[in-house]
Amino acid sequence: MLWGEEAAAFGSGGLFGLLAPYYLWSGWNSLKEKAPLLDAEPQTVFFERCATFAGIEYMRRLLTGYDIRDHADVKVGWASVSLLSDKNRGGEDYMAVRTRFAEDVQESGIDLGKLPDIKQMIDDAKKRWPGVQAVFDKLVSKVPTRNKQVEV
């Protein structure tokens, strides 16, 4: 990772509040060294298309790689995938994230009943996923830099 030290000190940001190292490693599980953001500057998390790509890839990984039982579990996994483990599920931190999620949903007026159910979301993430590179190419195509666009 070209910007590893800077990413470690960067913190989080962008549309989904992703931690810079996790953001830059988006797609690693599928593409390894060819992950499209691997050598991007951490500041690219503030480019909406880049953040959206990373958010979509993270959501896909949550839905296909972890025990997601309902919409609140997605929020729990976003906070920390370790909270979805058998050891931590139902614990204080797990329940605190779920409680905050329920409060935020109520306050914002979101009707979770209008969303696809979790089983459908998981099924779609497994069967309809075109692949990391295809999603990146459609959303981003080139990683922006401070000075110029570069081919990925």
Side-chain angles (χ1 to χ4, degrees), residues 1-45:
M1 179 184 290
L2 185 62
W3 299 91
E5 270 187 51
E6 188 173 337
F10 185 81
S12 61
L15 296 173
F16 304 102
L18 294 168
L19 286 170
Y22 295 134
Y23 161 77
L24 295 175
W25 282 73
S26 296
W28 173 263
N29 290 350
S30 298
L31 300 176
K32 304 298 182 220
E33 296 84 10
K34 294 183 180 188
L37 297 174
L38 196 58
D39 288 331
E41 297 169 275
Q43 293 83 354
T44 61
V45 74

Side-chain angles (χ1 to χ4, degrees), residues 66-67 69 76 80-91 94:
Y66 297 90
D67 183 13
R69 300 176 185 174
V76 170
S80 175
V81 293
S82 68
L83 296 176
L84 295 170
S85 69
D86 290 340
K87 175 184 171 193
N88 294 321
R89 184 178 291 275
Y94 174 88

Side-chain angles (χ1 to χ4, degrees), residues 12-151:
S12 61
L15 296 173
F16 304 102
L18 294 168
L19 286 170
Y22 295 134
Y23 161 77
L24 295 175
W25 282 73
S26 296
W28 173 263
N29 290 350
S30 298
L31 300 176
K32 304 298 182 220
E33 296 84 10
K34 294 183 180 188
L37 297 174
L38 196 58
D39 288 331
E41 297 169 275
Q43 293 83 354
T44 61
V45 74
F46 295 113
F47 287 92
E48 289 88 359
R49 290 178 179 264
C50 293
T52 299
F53 160 74
I56 289 170
E57 167 58 2
Y58 193 78
M59 175 66 113
R60 183 200 62 86
R61 286 191 54 230
L62 280 174
L63 292 171
T64 61
Y66 297 90
D67 183 13
I68 301 292
R69 300 176 185 174
D70 58 20
H71 292 95
D73 271 355
V74 171
K75 177 59 179 165
V76 170
W78 208 275
S80 175
V81 293
S82 68
L83 296 176
L84 295 170
S85 69
D86 290 340
K87 175 184 171 193
N88 294 321
R89 184 178 291 275
E92 186 177 331
D93 291 339
Y94 174 88
M95 294 308 296
V97 173
R98 289 180 66 87
T99 298
R100 281 192 313 273
F101 176 76
E103 291 167 354
D104 290 346
V105 165
Q106 185 174 11
E107 183 179 314
S108 67
I110 294 171
D111 180 357
L112 294 179
K114 291 185 177 180
L115 298 177
D117 68 33
I118 288 299
K119 290 183 187 337
Q120 181 64 51
M121 291 172 66
I122 291 169
D123 191 50
D124 286 350
K126 289 179 178 177
K127 294 180 180 175
R128 298 181 70 186
W129 179 247
V132 169
Q133 193 64 54
V135 172
F136 179 82
D137 290 345
K138 288 252 185 203
L139 283 173
V140 183
S141 79
K142 295 180 182 183
V143 177
T145 67
R146 293 178 196 163
N147 300 315
K148 62 180 178 174
Q149 295 276 330
V150 292
E151 292 286 332

